[in-house]
Structure formats: structure tokens, C-alpha cells
Amino acid sequence: MYDPTVARLTYRALLGRRRALILFALPVLLIVIAGAVRGFSGADDQVAVDVLGGFALATMVPIIGVIAGTGAIGPEIDDGSVVYLLSKPVKRPTIIFTKLIVAIAVTMAFSAIPTFIAGMILNGNGQQIAVAYTIAALVASITYAAIFLLLGTITRHAVVFGLVYALVWEALFGSLVVGARTLSVQQWSLAVAQKVGDGDLITSDVGLPTATALLVVVTVATTWFAGQKLRSLKLAGEE
């Protein structure tokens, strides 16, 4: 189910100069914000939750997921180079699974690590806040990568739709509208963070069993559908 050659090509595409600059920008901004906040307000658990929840988990993680998930396959479909890949003796579900693993790895690396660093800067992991949000970022990275990889297989405007989802649904509605929170990856990952963290500063509107089930179901369903969508692409000469 994992093809090293496909993985290597995908890593090379995702970590090219332009995308790498974008991927580095948000993590650097988060760490700069964390340092500035710590300098002005000192160590404060509530401030740490506000920064990590409001910027890292609600904005940075889904945007990086958009870049990694759509970038893992979208450009190949847009420019037609996917035809070369599909002509090789590699099963199409294997291609999708491999690209998903790469997208997850990139999303985790560029979201969870800076989240942990920012958390340590903000309050030194008081009440396990840095660890809790790091785990939430890891969990969310898996589902976001799957969702945005699917978008990359079904539309040429995957980045636009992905950013709308990330910035409007997750960052805005997922934070402010009560009914929308149940269908938010952010809230599902917050349920995991709530379990890990000490105290009651980290909260989620979704219970842990429900959140866990939704994370698994959405990840598996979107990955399966992406595989079916790629399977339906026809090469010239195919029956």
C-alpha cells in the first residue's frame, strides 16, 4: 500500500521552493507571536490556550493541511503529469495511500512541532497545555490531510475550496456557531486535547467517543473516495 517512488516524488513536489516558503511562514509567525505574547504578558495558561487554540489549531493547522493535502496530487492532475504516474504498474489506491502518508507527515511536521514550541514558550507546558495542543494538531493533521487530498482529486479549485473551508468553516463557524462545532475537525481534535490537558481550560463541544469516531470515519471515508475517484480517471487507450 506504500510506494517509495511515489512518496519521493510527492515529497519533492510538496517541499519545492515556493511551497516550502509558504509552509514555513505560518509556523514561524506562530512562534514569533508566542514569543511576543510571553514577553508582554508573562506565562499565563489562559493566554496560552487562546493563542494555541485560536491561531495554531483553528488557523495554522488547517491551512497547512490545505497546502499539503491538495499539493500532494492536485498539481499533477491539473498539469496532466498524473497520466505518467497512472501509466506505471502501481495500483491507484496505493498511489492515494502513499500520497496521504506524505501529506500527513508534512502537515504534522509543520504544525505539531511549532505548536509544541509555541506552547513551551507561552507557559512552559503548564497544565499540559503544550502537549495537549500538540497531540490535537497531530490528530487533526491526519483528517485534514485526507479531506484536502480528496479535494485535490475532485476539483481543479481545491486550494480555493480548501481555504474557504479552513478559514470560514473551521476558523469562523467552527469557533463561533454552536451548531457548526459538531462538524468541525477543530472541535474533534480539541476533545482529544481536553482529555490530555490538566484542568478545565481546554474544552470541546464534542465528547471524546464521538470525536474519535468522527475522526476515524471521515479519514477513512475521504481516503476511500479519493481512491475511487483516482481509479475512475481513464488513460488514453484504456477501455
Side-chain angles (χ1 to χ4, degrees):
M1 290 297 292
Y2 181 84
D3 187 279
T5 302
V6 174
R8 184 174 65 254
L9 294 173
T10 306
Y11 275 118
R12 185 181 301 173
L14 283 178
L15 300 178
R17 183 177 302 175
R18 186 173 62 180
R19 282 198 179 88
L21 289 174
I22 299 173
L23 286 170
F24 273 108
L26 285 174
V28 169
L29 179 59
L30 171 64
I31 293 172
V32 169
I33 291 173
V37 170
R38 177 63 185 264
F40 284 116
S41 64
D44 186 292
D45 294 344
Q46 183 60 61
V47 171
V49 168
D50 292 340
V51 173
L52 297 179
F55 182 76
L57 195 61
T59 302
M60 184 186 73
V61 180
I63 289 179
I64 290 175
V66 170
I67 297 169
T70 61
I73 195 169
E76 291 176 312
I77 294 178
D78 290 344
D79 63 19
S81 61
V82 72
V83 173
Y84 171 79
L85 181 61
L86 297 180
S87 67
K88 300 300 179 182
V90 181
K91 294 181 179 179
R92 298 183 186 187
T94 297
I95 294 173
I96 287 294
F97 183 77
T98 302
K99 288 181 173 293
L100 175 63
I101 294 300
V102 173
I104 289 172
V106 170
T107 306
M108 285 181 171
F110 284 91
S111 60
I113 294 173
T115 296
F116 179 74
I117 294 172
M120 295 300 293
I121 293 173
L122 287 164
N123 77 332
N125 197 36
Q127 297 196 53
Q128 294 290 307
I129 290 173
V131 171
Y133 275 100
T134 299
I135 293 175
L138 290 170
V139 170
S141 294
I142 299 172
T143 303
Y144 281 133
I147 291 172
F148 298 129
L149 181 65
L150 171 61
L151 277 180
T153 65
I154 64 177
T155 175
R156 292 180 178 270
H157 306 291
V159 174
V160 174
F161 287 116
L163 289 175
V164 169
Y165 175 86
L167 297 177
V168 177
W169 185 264
E170 291 285 359
L172 184 60
F173 286 98
S175 299
L176 301 177
V177 181
V178 176
R181 295 176 185 172
T182 305
L183 300 177
S184 167
V185 177
Q186 175 192 347
Q187 291 295 321
W188 303 343
S189 59
L190 275 175
V192 179
Q194 183 179 9
K195 180 67 175 180
V196 175
D198 296 332
D200 57 0
L201 289 176
I202 304 175
T203 60
S204 173
D205 289 344
V206 183
L208 183 60
T210 301
T212 302
L214 288 170
L215 286 166
V216 172
V217 168
V218 170
T219 301
V220 172
T222 51
T223 303
W224 176 84
F225 192 74
Q228 295 303 305
K229 181 64 178 178
L230 191 64
R231 190 193 298 272
S232 70
L233 290 177
K234 298 295 184 182
L235 299 178
E238 280 189 344
E239 293 297 328

